[in-house]
Amino acid sequence: MNNDEELYLPIKQVYFDQIVAGTKKEEYREVKLGITMNRYLKKADNSSGFELNPETTDSSKTYYWDDYNNGNYPFVPKDIKRLNLAVGYAKDRDTCTVEVESITFEPGRVLGNPPQFAWWLMVFHLGKVSNVYRKKR
C-alpha cells in the first residue's frame, strides 16, 4: 500500500470508542482550502489542481473547492483504504486502524439562493477495525 492509501486522523475519545465498538460507521472531515484538500483529494495528472469527477462536472468549466455544483462535490477523493486513528496527540494514546469501505461527500452549510457555495464534508464509510491499542489507564 502506498502513502495515499492510508490517512492518519486524530480523533476524540468518545468517537474512537464508538468506532471500536462498531456503533459509529461514518467519520466526517471538513474539506478546507489548503492542507486538507492536499490530504484528501486526488491531484490532476496534467496540472497542479485536483482531479474532477467526470460524472458531476463539465470539463470546460472551472470548479472551486466550495462550489455547490447542484449538490455534487466536483472533485475526486484519494483512494484511501485505511484510517489510522489516534486519540489526541500524547505519545501514549489509544490507536487503531479502520478499513474505509467508501468515501462520499455531503454539503454542510450551503449559501446562496439558488445555492452557489457549500462547506463540504468528506464522509469515510468505515469497515473492519484492527490493530486496536489501548493505553494503560
Side-chain angles (χ1 to χ4, degrees), residues 69-135:
N69 191 35
N70 296 315
N72 299 295
Y73 196 64
F75 302 105
V76 175
K78 288 183 177 178
D79 191 24
I80 298 167
K81 304 284 188 202
R82 290 194 298 261
L83 298 179
N84 295 312
L85 302 178
V87 177
Y89 296 94
K91 187 174 181 180
D92 187 27
R93 59 195 171 178
D94 292 358
T95 61
C96 73
T97 302
V98 184
E99 289 180 6
V100 175
E101 293 180 346
S102 65
I103 298 171
T104 58
F105 293 92
E106 293 181 7
R109 186 171 177 208
V110 178
L111 298 174
N113 190 9
Q116 296 178 18
F117 306 102
W119 276 265
W120 285 97
L121 300 172
M122 188 171 192
V123 184
F124 297 97
H125 301 272
L126 307 176
K128 181 182 173 192
V129 177
S130 61
N131 302 324
V132 177
Y133 169 79
R134 297 285 192 167
K135 71 178 184 179

Side-chain angles (χ1 to χ4, degrees), residues 11-43:
I11 191 168
K12 291 184 177 182
Q13 186 75 56
V14 62
Y15 303 126
F16 179 89
D17 292 340
Q18 291 171 355
I19 290 168
V20 170
T23 58
K24 187 175 191 311
K25 295 292 189 180
E26 297 174 336
E27 178 61 20
Y28 294 80
R29 295 299 160 135
E30 184 178 355
V31 180
K32 298 177 185 176
L33 185 62
I35 195 163
T36 59
M37 287 182 68
N38 289 323
R39 290 183 73 202
Y40 301 157
L41 303 180
K42 199 179 279 188
K43 291 276 192 179

